[in-house]
Amino acid sequence: MKDFDLSKFRHKTELNVRFMDVDALQHVNNARYLNFLEESRLAYSEEVLGMYKDLSEMNVVVARIEIDFLRPITFKEKVVIYTRVAKIGNSSFTFESIICAQLNDKIIPSARSVQIVVAFDLKTQKSIPLPDDIKKKVEAYEGSN
């Protein structure tokens, strides 16, 4: 992910920074960014794909996460995560996210991330192909990026 063009991102998730998110340096601890990304992937999957309405439907595993930290987020700021599916593979999604701080009406990019999530069969412990209807929903929602 090379730029911060938020117009390429149709989906966004807004979260409040909680006191427990803040570390001794008085900014959001780096481990909490993983929680923010998880929340945004779940929201995208539920709202766009109609997936994961029940815990038994959780049939994906995170295979890779990269995060570039750009600036700290503090306790008084709201978090806005812009998320898109940038690539669909045979059995995986590549999510791209930009985690922003919102201060008043100003949106400030604070981190960017690439996450690869793989469809997974719990019984065989192997990846499985993504259903065609899910691929079509992503393509219909995202259009051409």
Side-chain angles (χ1 to χ4, degrees):
M1 185 179 351
K2 297 179 177 131
D3 60 36
F4 299 104
D5 183 358
L6 297 178
S7 70
K8 293 181 178 180
F9 295 79
R10 294 187 58 206
H11 191 271
K12 73 179 182 177
T13 304
E14 296 181 6
L15 302 170
N16 292 316
V17 174
R18 301 166 300 175
F19 181 75
M20 69 181 280
D21 297 331
V22 180
D23 62 19
L25 298 174
Q26 300 181 20
H27 57 70
V28 172
N29 183 277
N30 62 346
R32 293 295 181 195
Y33 287 72
L34 295 169
N35 299 116
F36 296 160
L37 294 168
E38 180 181 60
E39 291 288 336
S40 69
R41 287 192 314 271
L42 284 171
Y44 185 103
S45 297
E46 288 175 354
E47 296 164 14
V48 175
L49 306 177
M51 298 173 69
Y52 310 141
K53 306 264 186 230
D54 184 285
L55 194 58
S56 66
E57 296 177 6
M58 297 291 180
N59 59 349
V60 296
V61 294
V62 176
R64 181 178 178 92
I65 296 181
E66 297 174 33
I67 303 174
D68 295 321
F69 297 97
L70 307 170
R71 69 170 285 283
I73 297 175
T74 63
F75 180 63
K76 295 290 184 180
E77 297 174 329
K78 185 176 205 103
V79 176
V80 183
I81 306 110
Y82 294 85
T83 302
R84 70 179 180 166
V85 173
K87 181 180 174 188
I88 305 171
N90 180 49
S91 61
S92 66
F93 292 115
T94 299
F95 284 96
E96 290 183 349
S97 298
I98 299 177
I99 300 173
C100 298
Q102 182 177 348
L103 225 83
N104 302 318
D105 289 335
K106 191 172 182 184
I107 300 291
I108 307 162
S110 300
R112 62 183 167 204
S113 176
V114 175
Q115 309 126 69
I116 299 173
V117 180
V118 178
F120 192 74
D121 184 307
L122 289 172
K123 290 180 183 176
T124 65
Q125 295 289 298
K126 294 184 179 181
S127 64
I128 56 174
L130 290 169
D132 287 336
D133 66 316
I134 297 298
K135 291 180 182 181
K136 288 176 184 172
K137 286 179 184 178
V138 169
E139 291 165 357
Y141 183 78
E142 297 291 351
S144 59
N145 292 324

